[in-house]
Amino acid sequence: MTLLLNIDVPDVAAATNFYTEAFGLTVGRRFGADFVELLGWPAPVYLLTKQAGTLGAGEDRRRYERHWTPLHVDVVVDDVDAAVARAVRAGAVLEAPARDAPYGRIAMLADPFGHGFCLLAFSAKGYDALLGG
């Protein structure tokens, strides 16, 4: 199996700028003006132009103000504080500042298109720290 990450955005050029600046991803291929492949994560990222108000899933219409979804991306980094600074400089919104947790350090943000994501640096034990003992 292969995992692909598709992100709907209203403006592929702006999204390309954000994701390359915030995370150091690079453009792999451009499929016309409205579809870009980004590389640099374990799974390729595809930015797709989908205008606000168009039908997304079921009867739900796309919207790009901050929204909640039960599925989001955790980006594992070496230094959460440096990654937060880089993402915010690129246009991310910091929603919960970096904090320490038993499994590491985590911050919660949103991209300029309303999609939430976390920046996470694991401790030596990672999620195993939650198992106790």
Side-chain angles (χ1 to χ4, degrees):
M1 272 191 228
T2 301
L3 178 69
L4 307 175
L5 180 60
N6 294 289
I7 303 175
D8 291 356
V9 295
D11 181 337
V12 161
T16 300
N17 288 338
F18 173 76
Y19 281 93
T20 57
E21 290 177 25
F23 302 111
L25 300 176
T26 59
V27 174
R29 297 177 288 178
R30 293 182 187 273
F31 304 96
D34 295 330
F35 184 12
V36 173
E37 174 187 65
L38 299 178
L39 304 173
W41 283 346
V45 176
Y46 293 94
L47 302 175
L48 308 162
T49 298
K50 303 288 183 177
Q51 294 306 314
T54 59
L55 198 56
E59 297 298 316
D60 198 12
R61 300 211 173 261
R62 289 179 178 85
R63 59 195 178 285
Y64 293 107
E65 68 275 355
R66 182 63 172 110
H67 54 273
W68 181 85
T69 177
L71 177 67
H72 68 272
V73 174
D74 284 354
V75 180
V76 179
V77 298
D78 292 327
D79 181 335
V80 167
D81 298 296
V84 165
R86 180 178 179 168
V88 168
R89 275 194 312 271
V93 176
L94 180 62
E95 295 184 332
R99 66 175 175 81
D100 292 320
Y103 50 83
R105 189 160 175 77
I106 188 168
M108 298 172 191
L109 301 95
D111 74 7
F113 315 100
H115 308 303
F117 65 93
C118 296
L119 295 171
L120 171 64
F122 282 112
S123 64
K125 287 188 175 184
Y127 285 141
D128 287 343
L130 300 175
L131 297 174

